[in-house]
Amino acid sequence: MDKPATPDPRTTNPKKPLISRITVPRLVAAGAAMSLLAGLGAWSQSSSAAPAVATAEDAVTHAENERVAKGARWTQHYFPSSDGSDVELHADVLLPENLPKGEKVPVILSVGAYFGHSGQLEDEKHPHTGPSNRFYDFIEGTDLFSRGYAFVMVDQRGFGGSTGCLDFQGPGEQADVKAAIDWAATQPWSTGAVGMYGKSYDAITGLIGNNLDQDALKAVVAQEPIWDLYRNIRSNGVPRSTIGNVATSYNRIAALPQLPDDDERYRTNAAYEKTHPCVAVNSIQYLTAAYESEYWQARDLARQAKGSDTPLFITQGFTEWNTEPEAMEEYLTNHQGPQRGWLGPWDHKRGNERAADGRLEMGRDSWFAETISFFDQHLLGVKPTVAYPAYAIQDNNGRWRAQDTWPVVDSSPTLALPDGRYLDDSAEGDPKVDTGNSFYRWSQPLRQATRVTGTPRLSLTARGHGNLMVRLYDVAPDGTGIFFNEQVALVNGGKLAFDLKSNDWTLAAGHRLAVQIGTIQAPGPFSDWADAPSNRKITVEDLRLNLDLDDPRDDRPTAGDRAVYLDTYTALSTTGKMPIGKPSFAVPAPRR
């Protein structure tokens, strides 16, 4: 989540002070000794008037506070979490500005850490309070209020205007998500149909919502989530840098100062951490090492998804540097409901996000059209007018294809690799030189283009104790290699089996698959493991690599351009000319 910290914010600084709305009670309370007309005239000429602040009963529009989305009226609400604790949650509600009294609308809900009024990741120096603009791009891109939806932002415990200590993905936050769904579904302006929308942290809460099996939750859109927190913090026992900086980042966000013109209840709730040991507890819990511990088992969202059936629309970058594609296939396999997805070679981006030169980061221009069609279908019962593919997938060639599911697997061979030995010294390796801290195994040239999809899995028997890294390379006939997957693990002697990251990479005919086994090399652009080398020799035997293969010749093309990040990834992961070794295994052609 924090490599650097969290998802890219959508911060828009206010352009100028706005004239506030004023009501008769406010004038009276201020002791105005003039007529209402004169008072309003004087107010309109004042340059120091503060924009209006919403309450549960007193709605505020964009004309009265420019931080409110256009076309909306903003109210604020408080309600308890669902775990029986004293945690109080805060919600900013945006309803269509002209919604007639008594009319009901479906709700798009986002729950997370980034909706504090002072800023998402840091104090953004707003001159006055107002709702977060984190997903105004979605609101504007879908014309959400004109289409008859409400948008609700709920602060997780420990953030914004909610009390309690932050509990990243744990039982407390799961109780908060349940309470938020139930609350949004039972408001007098709600039809009872709720969809969830988010990216990164608030995509994770969408996965939590799916797992909770709430009848009111009709659809989830989750962009670049974490599927199992443990695997984002530790890789098969090896800690990542995130073991420290994720806790630090969220402790900092939880402690952000809120704004002087926020209501007293909001400011009091936001100061909860000052009188409770939230920061210390959160930092210590992240250090829990055992995957089998109650702490991590409670946060294994992939396992908890078993039997869930909320319609789900996800995005995942296979070349992600922040929320990697680990436990992704497990989650999707356990999820039994309708699925949609965009998958491809990008980093931590939104489906609609553009690079500085105007190109779409993911390369596909229908994000808002597809997501609102998805919500219309499942919250309103409106049949889609466009037959979007269930999965739109871009591989390393930059070409998009349509699939009914992911992965599509034509065959799943298990490749036997020769034994090897290496020194676990954590030194930087060189694929062009045998440095002794890793070894390579080479395939025969592939007879036809072959896609490695799904989630590769490595099994072995080790003699010795220390760390192990595996990398998969796509090597051209001239020896130019690109590594497209990697994973690490602790080895303590004996048998070991683990998943690599999920991937979708096509090797051209004539290319070779190279498998590197060795020490965990020094941190690079994609590696941030904080391992402690044993400085011992480790022997690896009974090596087996299981691959899911797909024949690209039956791809169904769909619209989309090359992801912006693909060229960056290729440049960073290209090794240069590798000395091709003697082939010791073959990658069989996938059987269609």
Side-chain angles (χ1 to χ4, degrees):
M1 286 290 293
D2 185 356
K3 292 179 276 178
T6 41
D8 306 325
R10 281 290 185 276
T11 303
T12 304
N13 293 322
K15 297 178 182 177
K16 58 182 178 180
L18 288 182
I19 297 171
S20 171
R21 150 180 90 156
I22 189 164
T23 63
V24 173
R26 289 175 184 153
L27 282 172
V28 173
M34 58 186 72
S35 69
L36 178 60
L37 180 61
L40 289 171
W43 185 271
S44 67
Q45 295 174 27
S46 170
S47 62
S48 61
V53 181
T55 66
E57 298 79 22
D58 200 3
V60 172
T61 66
H62 178 79
E64 298 159 319
N65 184 327
E66 71 173 358
R67 292 190 62 185
V68 179
K70 292 180 180 179
R73 61 175 190 251
W74 166 46
T75 54
Q76 296 189 78
H77 305 264
Y78 299 88
F79 56 93
S81 189
S82 66
D83 58 357
S85 67
D86 61 356
V87 170
E88 181 174 74
L89 303 177
H90 168 265
D92 288 310
V93 173
L94 299 176
L95 291 174
E97 183 175 357
N98 299 317
L99 184 70
K101 185 176 181 179
E103 187 169 325
K104 298 176 183 291
V105 291
V107 181
I108 306 300
L109 169 69
S110 194
V111 184
Y114 306 136
F115 301 118
H117 292 170
S118 65
Q120 296 179 45
L121 307 180
E122 59 188 13
D123 186 350
E124 296 170 4
K125 308 301 181 185
H126 294 290
H128 57 81
T129 193
S132 172
N133 63 359
R134 175 167 171 76
F135 290 122
Y136 280 13
D137 58 343
F138 170 72
I139 289 170
E140 295 167 4
T142 58
D143 199 15
L144 195 69
F145 301 125
S146 295
R147 299 180 71 94
Y149 283 90
F151 193 79
V152 174
M153 295 168 279
V154 174
D155 299 316
Q156 286 282 172
R157 61 180 62 199
F159 299 100
S162 295
T163 65
C165 288
L166 60 165
D167 181 40
F168 195 24
Q169 296 187 34
E173 287 201 356
Q174 293 171 28
D176 297 348
V177 173
K178 181 180 186 300
I181 294 169
D182 290 342
W183 184 86
T186 55
Q187 295 311 292
W189 35 261
S190 171
T191 62
V194 178
M196 295 187 73
Y197 184 89
K199 183 229 176 179
S200 199
Y201 195 122
D202 29 57
I204 297 168
T205 57
L207 299 186
I208 289 172
N210 165 71
N211 292 357
L212 290 172
D213 192 28
Q214 298 293 95
D215 289 341
L217 185 63
K218 307 300 183 184
V220 172
V221 175
Q223 302 172 80
E224 311 302 307
I226 290 175
W227 308 89
D228 171 20
L229 182 58
Y230 179 85
R231 280 174 264 195
N232 189 262
I233 301 296
R234 294 177 183 269
S235 298
N236 303 299
V238 181
R240 295 179 182 272
S241 63
T242 45
I243 198 171
N245 59 25
V246 167
T248 300
S249 295
Y250 287 102
N251 289 340
R252 184 179 66 249
I253 296 170
L256 283 176
Q258 299 303 319
L259 295 158
D261 59 339
D262 272 313
D263 66 70
E264 183 177 357
R265 189 173 182 180
Y266 185 99
R267 287 184 283 110
T268 300
N269 286 2
Y272 184 91
E273 286 80 8
K274 294 182 179 179
T275 55
H276 295 80
C278 300
V279 168
V281 171
N282 184 54
S283 299
I284 292 170
Q285 287 178 324
Y286 268 78
L287 301 178
T288 304
Y291 173 68
E292 299 78 13
S293 68
E294 182 180 352
Y295 181 81
W296 291 120
Q297 288 298 300
R299 290 160 173 79
D300 187 346
L301 301 186
R303 178 179 56 83
Q304 295 168 9
K306 192 171 184 64
S308 62
D309 60 3
T310 308
L312 182 63
F313 192 152
I314 60 102
T315 73
Q316 178 64 63
F318 290 120
T319 51
E320 258 275 22
W321 47 265
N322 191 322
T323 54
E324 293 91 348
E326 297 186 75
M328 168 190 174
E329 186 174 358
E330 179 184 343
Y331 191 105
L332 295 176
T333 299
N334 284 337
H335 174 257
Q336 300 300 303
Q339 292 180 11
R340 296 277 307 278
W342 287 15
L343 312 176
W346 47 74
D347 54 350
H348 204 61
K349 303 299 181 184
R350 304 183 186 202
N352 61 291
E353 198 164 345
R354 292 184 182 273
D357 60 6
R359 289 181 296 161
L360 283 160
E361 292 281 6
M362 293 184 184
R364 189 169 165 87
D365 67 359
S366 55
W367 177 249
F368 292 136
E370 291 198 39
T371 52
I372 199 62
S373 172
F374 182 71
F375 283 133
D376 283 349
Q377 178 182 1
H378 296 293
L379 275 68
L380 294 174
V382 176
K383 185 177 180 180
T385 57
V386 178
Y388 297 111
Y391 277 92
I393 304 168
Q394 181 183 173
D395 71 4
N396 53 297
N397 294 313
R399 293 191 289 266
W400 288 82
R401 68 185 189 275
Q403 291 184 180
D404 296 331
T405 188
W406 182 89
V408 168
V409 179
D410 289 329
S411 58
S412 297
T414 297
L415 310 178
L417 310 181
D419 302 345
R421 195 177 188 214
Y422 65 93
L423 174 65
D424 177 30
D425 62 359
S426 196
E428 185 66 35
D430 185 343
K432 300 183 289 297
V433 179
D434 182 2
T435 57
N437 61 6
S438 67
F439 60 87
Y440 291 81
R441 298 296 178 252
W442 297 85
S443 79
Q444 299 279 357
L446 274 68
R447 298 195 303 272
Q448 67 177 64
T450 300
R451 178 173 297 123
V452 180
T453 189
T455 309
R457 186 170 179 82
L458 187 73
S459 62
L460 55 92
T461 300
R463 287 194 284 117
H465 301 267
N467 305 283
L468 178 145
M469 171 182 275
V470 56
R471 278 183 170 176
L472 306 184
Y473 290 83
D474 174 3
V475 184
D478 68 355
T480 301
I482 300 176
F483 80 83
F484 64 92
N485 204 329
E486 65 177 352
Q487 188 56 281
V488 304
L490 289 177
V491 292
N492 292 305
K495 295 183 181 300
L496 177 67
F498 58 89
D499 288 341
L500 280 66
K501 299 174 184 178
S502 294
N503 55 202
D504 201 88
W505 192 275
T506 301
L507 284 73
H511 283 218
R512 300 170 190 260
L513 174 66
V515 181
Q516 178 188 14
I517 305 286
T519 190
I520 300 176
Q521 298 181 3
F526 309 108
S527 306
D528 64 344
W529 288 287
D531 61 296
S534 65
N535 292 306
R536 296 179 179 179
K537 287 281 188 178
I538 296 175
T539 300
V540 180
E541 302 169 336
D542 303 320
L543 271 167
R544 299 289 186 273
L545 178 64
N546 181 259
L547 298 177
D548 289 334
L549 304 180
D550 178 31
D551 188 338
R553 290 179 296 178
D554 56 3
D555 285 353
R556 291 184 288 129
T558 192
D561 297 323
R562 188 179 181 88
V564 173
Y565 187 66
L566 178 53
D567 291 333
T568 300
Y569 178 84
T570 300
L572 291 173
S573 60
T574 297
T575 64
K577 299 293 181 64
M578 302 171 68
I580 297 175
K582 182 180 178 181
S584 58
F585 68 94
V587 178
R591 300 185 302 274
R592 290 194 290 176

